[in-house]
Amino acid sequence: MSEEFYEKMREQVKHEDKVVRDRMVWMGAFQGALFGSLVFAWQNKDSNWLVVVFSVLGAFIAANIFLSIVASTLALQNILKEWDRRKPKDYSGPDIISYAPGSPGSRRLWAMLLAPWCMIPLSFIAAWACVFWINYTTWGRG
């Protein structure tokens, strides 16, 4: 039972890890394209509206990715709780995840939410807010 249960739980962890990784790659591709386009848009003084579109789109994509990563983090938290609850008492093998904050039975969700895969999308949202603000405060000047 313990080997089969371990493999089942480990597959669920791998799935959530892949979901997060895929979304981070998508976000990186979108953000790179948008920031690259922003460089060209800012060279033209008449493209303030385009900078607004890029800012809103960039922030929306980052927020969407952030929410989906939080959902995966919550799913991983549930998997870890289930593992801690149902793991055989005599099990001495590896844990289903290499490192999870907190001791078994008291996994800390806040520590998982402060991980880079959750903080990077928030950083992009802040960056796009700054771009929007700079564009707004300089609209119509020079």
Side-chain angles (χ1 to χ4, degrees):
M1 148 70 182
S2 64
E3 184 68 29
E4 180 182 315
F5 180 63
Y6 172 83
E7 289 300 323
K8 179 181 175 187
M9 298 302 282
R10 185 72 187 123
E11 283 303 313
Q12 291 178 9
V13 169
K14 287 180 183 178
H15 170 74
E16 293 304 328
D17 182 53
K18 182 181 179 326
V19 166
V20 169
R21 185 176 51 249
D22 289 349
R23 289 175 180 155
M24 291 296 288
V25 168
W26 298 340
M27 185 182 61
F30 278 120
Q31 299 297 333
L34 287 171
F35 273 111
S37 300
L38 177 66
V39 169
F40 292 108
W42 254 341
Q43 290 176 356
N44 184 352
K45 294 177 184 175
D46 297 327
S47 63
N48 285 344
W49 61 271
L50 194 55
V51 174
V52 169
V53 170
F54 289 158
S55 299
V56 171
L57 186 58
F60 175 77
I61 290 169
N64 191 317
I65 296 294
F66 173 73
L67 292 174
S68 65
I69 289 174
V70 166
S72 289
T73 301
L74 293 173
L76 182 58
Q77 181 79 2
N78 288 337
I79 293 166
L80 288 170
K81 284 180 182 177
E82 185 67 16
W83 169 253
D84 291 341
R85 189 176 68 75
R86 293 183 50 197
K87 177 173 62 173
K89 301 286 185 223
D90 61 343
Y91 180 79
S92 61
D95 207 351
I96 60 170
I97 189 170
S98 59
Y99 174 73
S103 58
S106 67
R107 309 291 187 175
R108 289 178 175 77
L109 179 60
W110 63 266
M112 295 174 86
L113 292 174
L114 289 175
W117 51 87
C118 285
M119 300 304 340
I120 290 172
L122 294 177
S123 299
F124 276 117
I125 293 169
W128 284 114
C130 290
V131 167
F132 182 86
W133 180 251
I134 290 168
N135 188 63
Y136 176 75
T137 58
T138 60
W139 196 303
R141 293 185 190 164

